[in-house]
């Protein structure tokens, strides 16, 4: 069939049901964006490409549907780098479309030229460049299939002079792959090992959320075994939070109950997780990873199995299918030994942690430091971070989707959110980009317009995405709610400074004359300042009502003191030692 290359490209997008594109308009993409409206594709023109990529990530994580990011070749595309790598470690199947400088000028150092394939080779799960205009539909079909199969962003690079050419091609059908139920022998071995376990524990990762029926399958397996279920760092939605076997998140600021229960395990089923180091680092001073336990690791990517922890059995497969396969092969008596005692122990351990978490109001200083004592004395009437999180929990709808940003105050809240279903907790993940909270929740709301959404960010991280307030107030954009923890500092770095750099606060202080609520109001949105727990709860209740009933976006500036939680990288930092000594007198003037 004769058509232009841009028609072939868009028809292929239609064949895959890709309805949403995020980015900033540019001449290199205009041949296809011009026909987006006729094709039923909505282009969300953001304020910055980096935020556009994170909106795309939020949309796809909240819906399971592939979305795309696209922008001008060169500087527009380079602004996607952080978002794409974030999506890579979030296992988000996205389509990255990178129009390239024209073939006839590549290598001449022309306008807006950069080697876009090299740029993303470490950022994507798959990439391919269109070599001839007649291959555009074939390549795009394969790239989308790879994004889905590998559960990560995949890139198609296309020279901009390939658009508008007439070609004679057919649009391929989408390529669908059946996911693996795991190896027959390894699943049987896992079933036998779990059948003989006295203290089995299940650890759910992102793969359980991404797998169709993964949460239900893990729940059925946990109930049969009477096994507590922990979740990986920032995967609080990988198991129902109201289930009596849910033990909470491991890792940084996670659940002490989960840590205690997994420490006692003799067999751990790690389901749909690559066991990233940050999810298994000691927390609250507890080195909880069970050194003598037998480990069964299930992951769809064989390269991740056994990479960070020694495993007894490795299974390459889909979380739901493997869990169901193990369940079907358990012995008749699996989980029976000590079931009632184990059940009581799980309940008691969870209750003790819930009471402790409720009682936690202030952050502790390390021996030899006193920043948190000083912070409380400086602003005795201000909320602490945990007071703010308790106020939020009082108003947060159970069905809400939330996003989090990287930062000290968001991390302090890691143990609080629990969910009844998956695709509810959008955290920035292990790449750890600042500026994720706002754009991710906007993308989620685009994908799930009937669900209340709330984004969270510290004031340092929010400053990276604050320009999106100039974009999201336009008529076609959905209403969202965003909470900014306002303490006028880069908190994680400041905590590092108190521990290892003798309170030498270089670059940690923010401008106290800036009002994010004021910026929101100036952008035509609603900005609110909350100074007490009561004000914060009331503001969030009203904001949700305004979002769902009145179509109004609200930014709540939650004013909190400067208390600082545990450092992110206690494992990677140490006190520096000066040997030669540093002096201003050694500074030499430059010769110009």
């Amino acid at each position: 069939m004769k058509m232009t290359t841009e028609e072939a490209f868009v028809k292929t997008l239609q064949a895959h049901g890709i309805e949403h594109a995020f980015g900033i308009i540019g001449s290199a993409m205009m041949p296809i964006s011009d026909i987006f409206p006729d094709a039923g594709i909505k282009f969300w023109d953001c304020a910055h490409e980096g935020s556009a990529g994170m909106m795309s990530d939020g949309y796809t994580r909240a819906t399971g549907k592939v979305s795309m990011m696209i922008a001008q070749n060169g500087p527009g595309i380079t602004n996607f780098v952080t978002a794409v790598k974030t999506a890579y470690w979030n296992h988000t199947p996205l389509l990255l479309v990178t129009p390239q400088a024209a073939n006839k000028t590549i290598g001449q150092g022309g306008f807006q030229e950069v080697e876009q394939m090299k740029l993303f080779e470490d950022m994507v799960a798959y990439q391919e460049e269109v070599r001839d205009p007649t291959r555009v539909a074939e390549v795009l079909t394969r790239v989308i299939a790879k994004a889905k199969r590998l559960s990560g962003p995949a890139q198609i690079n296309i020279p901009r002079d390939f658009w508008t050419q007439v070609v004679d091609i057919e649009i391929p059908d989408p390529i669908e792959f059946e996911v693996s139920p795991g190896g027959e022998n390894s699943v049987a071995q896992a079933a036998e090992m779990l059948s003989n376990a006295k203290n089995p524990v299940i650890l759910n990762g992102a793969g359980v959320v991404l797998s169709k029926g993964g949460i239900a399958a893990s729940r059925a397996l946990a109930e049969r075994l009477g096994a507590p279920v922990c979740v990986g760092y920032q995967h609080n939605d990988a198991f129902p939070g109201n289930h009596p076997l849910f033990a909470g998140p491991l890792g940084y600021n996670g659940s002490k109950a989960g840590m205690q229960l997994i420490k006692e395990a003799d067999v751990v089923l790690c389901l749909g997780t690559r066991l990233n180091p940050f999810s298994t680092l000691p927390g609250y001073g507890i080195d909880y990873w069970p050194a003598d336990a037998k480990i069964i690791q299930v992951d769809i990517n064989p390269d991740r199995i056994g990479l960070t922890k020694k495993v007894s059995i490795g299974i390459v497969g889909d979380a739901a299918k493997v869990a169901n396969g193990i369940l079907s092969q358990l012995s008749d008596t699996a989980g029976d030994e000590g079931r009632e005692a184990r059940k009581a122990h799980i309940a008691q351990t969870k209750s003790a942690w819930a009471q402790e978490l409720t009682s936690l109001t202030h952050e502790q200083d390390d021996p030899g430091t006193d920043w948190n004592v000083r912070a409380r004395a400086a602003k005795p009437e201000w909320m602490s971070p945990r007071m703010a999180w308790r106020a939020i929990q009082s108003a947060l709808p159970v069905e809400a989707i939330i996003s989090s940003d990287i930062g000290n105050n968001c991390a302090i809240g890691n143990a609080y959110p629990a969910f009844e279903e998956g695709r509810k907790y959008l955290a920035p993940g292990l790449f750890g980009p600042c500026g994720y909270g706002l754009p991710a929740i906007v993308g989620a709301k685009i994908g799930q317009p009937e669900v209340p959404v709330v984004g969270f960010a510290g004031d340092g991280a929010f400053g990276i995405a604050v320009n999106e307030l100039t974009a999201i107030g336009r008529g076609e954009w959905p209403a969202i709610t965003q909470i900014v923890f306002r303490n006028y500092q880069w908190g994680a770095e400041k905590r590092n400074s108190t521990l290892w750099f003798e309170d030498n606060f270089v670059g940690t202080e923010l401008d106290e004359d800036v009002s994010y609520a004021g910026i929101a109001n100036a952008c035509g949105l609603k900005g609110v300042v909350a100074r007490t727990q009561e004000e914060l709860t009331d503001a969030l209740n009203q904001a949700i009502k305004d979002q769902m009933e009145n179509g109004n976006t609200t930014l709540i500036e939650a004013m909190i003191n400067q208390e600082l939680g545990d450092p992110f990288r206690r494992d990677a930092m140490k006190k520096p030692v000066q040997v030669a000594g540093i002096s201003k007198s050694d500074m030499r003037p430059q010769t110009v």
Side-chain angles (χ1 to χ4, degrees):
M1 177 186 297
K2 285 193 178 298
M3 64 186 76
T4 60
T5 47
E6 66 268 24
E7 288 175 323
F9 196 95
V10 170
K11 283 180 179 293
T12 304
L13 295 177
Q14 289 179 306
H16 289 82
I18 297 177
E19 301 175 284
H20 295 277
F22 299 84
I24 292 180
I25 196 70
S27 61
M29 56 175 281
M30 291 181 77
I32 60 169
S33 62
D34 176 61
I35 54 178
F36 279 175
D38 289 341
I41 297 172
K42 174 63 180 175
F43 179 64
W44 298 93
D45 48 330
C46 307
H48 190 279
E49 292 91 351
S51 291
M54 292 176 186
M55 286 186 195
S56 185
D57 183 74
Y59 170 88
T60 294
R61 291 179 69 185
T63 64
K65 300 177 181 178
V66 175
S67 57
M68 65 182 282
M69 55 183 83
I70 184 170
Q72 176 68 1
N73 65 269
I77 295 302
T78 61
N79 280 345
F80 278 140
V81 167
T82 297
V84 172
K85 192 63 175 181
T86 299
Y88 178 85
W89 286 119
N90 283 339
H91 321 289
T92 310
L94 297 178
L95 173 62
L96 171 63
V97 180
T98 57
Q100 177 68 61
N103 262 335
K104 64 181 180 181
T105 63
I106 287 178
Q108 293 181 343
F111 187 59
Q112 297 182 320
E113 180 183 343
V114 68
E115 293 194 41
Q116 294 173 178
M117 292 289 281
K118 286 186 178 180
L119 181 69
F120 288 100
E121 64 182 1
D122 184 48
M123 306 290 162
V124 297
Y126 180 79
Q127 62 178 179
E128 189 169 345
E129 186 169 60
V130 179
R131 298 293 187 182
D132 184 273
T134 61
R135 298 186 61 190
V136 62
E138 166 221 331
V139 173
L140 180 55
T141 298
R142 183 163 48 253
V143 168
I144 295 170
K146 291 283 190 178
K148 290 182 176 181
R149 186 175 72 82
L150 300 173
S151 197
Q155 176 194 9
I156 180 170
N157 199 63
I158 180 167
R160 58 181 297 169
D161 54 342
F162 280 7
W163 300 129
T164 69
Q165 298 194 31
V166 178
V167 293
D168 189 359
I169 58 174
E170 297 295 327
I171 304 300
D173 291 329
I175 303 170
E176 300 291 343
F177 296 93
E178 184 179 4
V179 293
S180 170
E184 181 179 342
N185 292 333
S186 58
V187 170
Q189 291 168 4
E192 182 180 6
M193 185 175 288
L194 286 165
S195 294
N196 295 324
K198 292 180 173 53
N199 285 303
V201 174
I202 298 173
L203 172 57
N204 282 359
V208 175
V209 178
L210 297 173
S211 171
K212 186 176 181 179
I215 294 175
S218 71
R219 182 177 64 238
L221 185 57
E223 289 171 351
R224 173 69 187 282
L225 292 169
V229 181
C230 303
V231 294
Y233 178 65
Q234 296 185 340
H235 296 308
N236 300 37
D237 58 346
F239 199 78
N242 57 357
H243 197 285
L245 292 175
F246 180 58
L250 301 181
Y252 183 65
N253 277 329
S255 163
K256 282 189 180 180
M259 295 175 190
Q260 180 177 337
L261 290 167
I262 201 170
K263 186 178 178 68
E264 299 166 355
D266 59 345
V267 177
V268 180
L269 172 63
C270 304
L271 190 60
T273 173
R274 58 190 175 88
L275 288 177
N276 68 77
F278 209 69
S279 280
T280 57
L281 285 174
Y284 308 106
I286 305 170
D287 189 3
Y288 55 81
W289 190 254
D292 298 326
K294 296 175 181 177
I295 307 298
I296 304 165
Q297 186 181 1
V298 180
D299 196 277
I300 202 166
N301 184 349
D303 295 338
R304 303 296 176 193
I305 293 178
L307 184 64
T308 60
K309 297 293 182 184
K310 182 181 178 181
V311 300
S312 303
I313 300 172
I315 304 175
V316 180
D318 172 76
K321 288 183 177 293
V322 171
N324 287 329
I326 292 173
L327 178 63
S328 68
Q329 297 187 57
L330 290 175
S331 69
D332 293 340
T333 58
D336 288 349
E337 184 176 348
R339 182 183 294 271
E340 291 305 313
R342 193 162 60 249
K343 179 181 177 181
H345 180 54
I346 293 169
Q348 181 183 12
T349 304
K350 287 180 60 177
S351 176
W353 168 236
Q355 292 179 43
E356 181 179 351
L357 186 62
T358 301
S359 69
L360 290 177
T361 298
H362 296 292
E363 302 308 304
Q364 301 302 309
D365 287 303
D366 278 69
T369 68
D370 64 352
W371 174 260
N372 287 326
V373 172
R374 286 181 279 157
R376 289 191 286 274
K379 291 184 170 65
E381 304 302 321
W382 289 44
M383 287 184 287
S384 70
R386 292 188 183 275
M387 291 168 66
W389 273 107
R390 287 207 292 268
I392 289 163
Q393 291 299 110
S394 297
L396 195 65
V398 67
E399 74 275 18
I401 299 172
I402 72 169
S403 71
S404 178
D405 220 308
I406 281 294
N408 201 261
N409 291 309
C410 285
I412 286 171
N414 188 45
Y416 293 88
F419 307 90
E420 294 183 0
E421 56 187 340
R423 299 192 180 278
K424 292 290 189 179
Y425 188 29
L426 310 179
L430 270 296
F431 193 53
C434 291
Y436 182 84
L438 174 62
I441 209 62
V442 172
K445 185 67 174 184
I446 289 169
Q448 301 283 12
E450 303 305 317
V451 179
V453 305
V454 183
F456 296 93
D459 48 4
F462 185 76
I464 292 176
V466 67
N467 54 351
E468 292 306 319
L469 297 180
T470 67
I472 65 174
R474 289 169 290 174
E476 68 273 23
W477 290 75
I480 59 101
T481 301
Q482 175 71 36
I483 293 177
V484 179
F485 297 110
R486 196 67 162 123
N487 61 1
Y488 304 106
Q489 63 186 355
W490 286 99
E493 289 66 34
K494 201 162 187 178
R495 182 64 189 253
N496 292 345
S497 300
T498 68
L499 286 174
W500 294 291
F501 301 100
E502 298 180 353
D503 286 5
N504 186 22
F505 301 132
V506 177
T508 62
E509 309 308 297
L510 301 177
D511 190 345
E512 295 189 18
D513 292 328
V514 172
S515 167
Y516 285 140
I519 294 173
N521 286 322
C523 292
L525 309 172
K526 184 178 179 180
V528 178
V529 176
R531 301 184 181 278
T532 67
Q533 287 179 276
E534 293 76 15
E535 288 179 0
L536 181 52
T537 297
D538 290 345
L540 182 53
N541 276 321
Q542 184 61 49
I544 295 294
K545 181 177 180 180
D546 284 343
Q547 177 192 149
M548 302 304 297
E549 298 179 13
N550 305 321
N552 295 330
T553 287
T554 304
L555 182 146
I556 302 171
E557 207 168 7
M559 313 304 288
I560 60 176
N561 66 22
Q562 293 192 320
E563 289 184 53
L564 299 170
D566 205 52
F568 278 104
R569 298 312 309 272
R570 194 183 290 274
D571 65 309
M573 302 286 289
K574 64 180 181 180
K575 193 173 183 64
V577 177
Q578 289 194 16
V579 177
I582 300 296
S583 172
K584 291 181 180 178
S585 63
D586 292 331
M587 179 65 73
R588 297 182 181 182
Q590 292 187 37
T591 301
V592 179

